[in-house]
Amino acid sequence: MQHAVGSPLPPPHQPGHGPAAGWSPAAHHPGPHHPGHHPGPPPAGPHPQGPAPRQASAPQHGPGPVPQGSAPVPVPPGFTAVPPAPHAAAPQHAPPDTTGHVPLPPGGPVAAPGGPPPAAVPDPAAGLPDPGATTLAVLLIGPAGAGKTSVAKYWADHRRVPTAHISLDDVREWVRSGFADPQSGWNDNSEAQYRLARRTCGFAARNFLANGISCILDDAVFPDRPVVGLGGWKRHVGPGLLPVVLLPGLDIVLERNAERTGNRRLTDEEVARIHGRMAGWYGSGLPIIDNSQLDVPGTARVLDEVLARAIASPPKW
């Protein structure tokens, strides 16, 4: 039974104190005293003459259990009800890992897809599962200016199943004071904050997936640098993560980078360096989308096609 905070709790269910005995709210909200009126049966022995102090109305049998058949003892203001006796039935509590009344299954690594999921809707034209109706974990990879965040948001907004977007850059910027800005150079502090952000993203993704919510994550993962490589994502999310690379031409990423502001905007030299290193994904076996001539909706449609093939035949990575 739920009780509002601050409201009186009913006395413990002891012999003679069940529903048949009744629980009077007046006993917990005492009003004016009426001489000669007793809420329960008459006392066993005579009382001294004159009004007795409130403490004198306490039971004479001490702190032990109330004898069977006696009335519940009113709880004076400022005191709490006696907890239930050990032999009493334990109150019903919600499961330990709940939010409100919705049970949350424990988040665990997402398993590698072993073929088209049962819930997937097949594509009649290609005979492939429909990724728009499948619970997925997707990692969108690409250099700065590739359009990862824009495509990920659009893709998550237009799916037919619940989908969350998790951006590593957004999570990394949760750190306000002491933020290790990547523009200031890669050092122990920036690497530690990157690892922490990646682990936080993985934890969030596993919990979303455990509750039937798909996830799309985005990060500039390098093919030749284990510190910021795929291994960490696979470890934190699970082998079922589906990585896809967005790799438009250098002129496109330079143009898009020029439209950025704040610490998200990099120098042209840094953008060119990152783009050149991303070319290492060619020949890796991961699906690559060249979205140089595609807008955001068009890239999202191509992403669905790539994911449909990845579900049917998961990439080896």
Side-chain angles (χ1 to χ4, degrees):
M1 179 181 295
Q2 301 292 328
H3 299 279
V5 176
S7 63
L9 294 174
H13 287 181
Q14 297 178 359
H17 287 78
W23 176 67
S24 172
H28 294 265
H29 298 278
H33 178 67
H34 301 285
H37 174 73
H38 300 282
H47 284 282
Q49 297 297 325
R54 185 174 296 273
Q55 290 81 356
S57 63
Q60 302 298 320
H61 48 268
V66 180
Q68 184 173 359
S70 59
V73 180
V75 180
F79 292 84
T80 56
V82 179
H87 63 275
Q92 296 295 324
H93 294 291
D97 188 14
T98 59
T99 299
H101 299 283
V102 181
L104 297 179
V110 57
V121 179
D123 182 357
L128 297 175
D130 180 7
T134 307
T135 302
L136 298 173
V138 180
L139 175 62
L140 209 54
I141 301 168
K148 300 184 300 297
T149 301
S150 299
V151 172
K153 287 181 178 179
Y154 183 92
W155 185 81
D157 285 342
H158 292 81
R159 301 193 76 227
R160 296 192 300 277
V161 295
T163 305
H165 169 230
I166 306 173
S167 173
L168 182 130
D169 284 343
D170 290 345
V171 174
R172 187 164 53 181
E173 290 177 359
W174 289 354
V175 178
R176 308 303 297 177
S177 178
F179 171 66
D181 192 340
Q183 292 190 19
S184 301
W186 188 263
N187 51 42
D188 291 343
N189 192 26
S190 56
E191 179 179 331
Q193 290 189 12
Y194 171 84
R195 290 177 180 271
L196 176 60
R198 183 175 60 187
R199 187 164 63 247
T200 303
C201 291
F203 176 82
R206 291 198 309 271
N207 279 279
F208 277 126
L209 292 164
N211 288 275
I213 299 176
S214 294
C215 290
I216 182 167
L217 308 103
D218 68 81
D219 183 23
V221 181
F222 290 95
D224 59 346
R225 194 167 186 179
V227 173
V228 289
L230 279 177
W233 283 110
K234 187 174 184 178
R235 181 170 64 254
H236 293 306
V237 180
L241 183 65
L242 298 175
V244 179
V245 181
L246 287 186
L247 195 53
L250 177 59
D251 55 337
I252 300 297
V253 297
L254 287 172
E255 179 181 338
R256 293 173 179 171
N257 179 70
E259 300 172 356
R260 293 183 166 191
T261 58
N263 62 2
R264 297 290 181 94
R265 181 173 180 175
L266 306 177
T267 64
D268 288 351
E269 292 76 11
E270 183 69 10
V271 172
R273 186 182 66 85
I274 294 174
H275 186 274
R277 295 178 64 179
M278 289 289 174
W281 288 118
Y282 286 105
S284 66
L286 297 187
I288 298 177
I289 300 174
D290 182 352
N291 58 330
S292 299
Q293 306 300 322
L294 297 173
D295 58 6
V296 170
T299 305
R301 287 193 296 270
V302 176
L303 177 60
D304 272 334
E305 297 172 5
V306 168
L307 291 174
R309 291 192 292 268
I311 295 170
S313 179
K316 305 297 182 182
W317 58 287

